[in-house]
Amino acid sequence: MDVDHRYELTLEWQGNTGSGTSGYRAYSRLGELRVDGKPSLGVSADTPFHGDADRWNPEDMLIGALAECHLLSYLYVATLHGVVVTAYTDAATGTMVSTSDGGGHFTEVTLHPRVTVADSSMVETARVIHEEASAKCYVASSVNFPVRHEPTILVDGSDGH
């Protein structure tokens, strides 16, 4: 049975420096995302697009959403396959191309999960279940570019954990 889930947030642009969007350089790209009951998030454009480097930008958030969704799906799939994950980090990367019309799009995101498992007998299963986790990830299933996985699997105790 399919179940719909609804999400709501508020975005407020905070970048009117006095003349609104009277020119491309006349306004700031600052904004704030709010979700009821959660801390607000200061957002901006990426610095090549006249944004504030100290704030999250849409590109960061897209890669972050893919990485976190994969993590959560992976942990779930690991439990289904008897893989005991004791640590997990990711150093995700993405490539976006800007187009001459002022737009652009992502061409790919690569996740580099570093997964530590409880026992060496779990290593191969831990490696192959990344594909199943990706198929279950809502965000990866929603984008129109490839989300690749280059995992490293470690055994608890072998790398200092």
Side-chain angles (χ1 to χ4, degrees):
M1 176 174 155
D2 292 346
V3 177
D4 289 344
H5 300 273
R6 184 170 164 78
Y7 300 90
E8 296 180 9
L9 63 80
T10 302
L11 171 62
E12 179 187 359
W13 173 54
Q14 301 171 326
N16 185 348
T17 60
S19 61
T21 58
S22 61
Y24 184 66
R25 297 183 191 280
Y27 60 94
S28 164
R29 278 59 174 177
L30 298 181
E32 187 170 278
L33 285 174
R34 294 185 200 98
V35 174
D36 286 345
K38 298 178 183 179
S40 63
L41 181 63
V43 295
S44 183
D46 195 8
T47 53
F49 310 109
H50 307 285
D52 184 334
D54 293 332
R55 292 191 175 213
W56 285 83
N57 62 60
E59 297 82 7
D60 294 335
M61 291 188 289
L62 178 59
I63 294 170
L66 284 163
E68 183 182 1
C69 186
H70 185 79
L71 162 68
L72 297 171
S73 295
Y74 185 83
L75 296 175
Y76 169 69
V77 171
T79 65
L80 296 178
H81 290 274
V83 174
V84 178
V85 176
T86 59
Y88 184 112
T89 60
D90 195 345
T93 59
T95 303
M96 185 183 80
V97 63
S98 295
T99 54
S100 60
D101 64 358
H105 58 273
F106 272 82
T107 57
E108 73 174 5
V109 166
T110 303
L111 305 179
H112 300 93
R114 185 176 172 94
V115 180
T116 304
V117 297
D119 186 83
S120 61
S121 65
M122 301 172 182
V123 169
E124 188 54 30
T125 303
R127 184 177 326 285
V128 299
I129 64 173
H130 280 281
E131 289 304 316
E132 183 179 345
S134 184
K136 292 186 183 328
C137 171
Y138 308 134
V139 180
S141 296
S142 301
V143 298
N144 65 353
F145 53 84
V147 180
R148 304 183 197 296
H149 312 94
E150 296 179 1
T152 301
I153 310 298
L154 304 169
V155 178
D156 204 0
S158 68
D159 69 335
H161 280 98

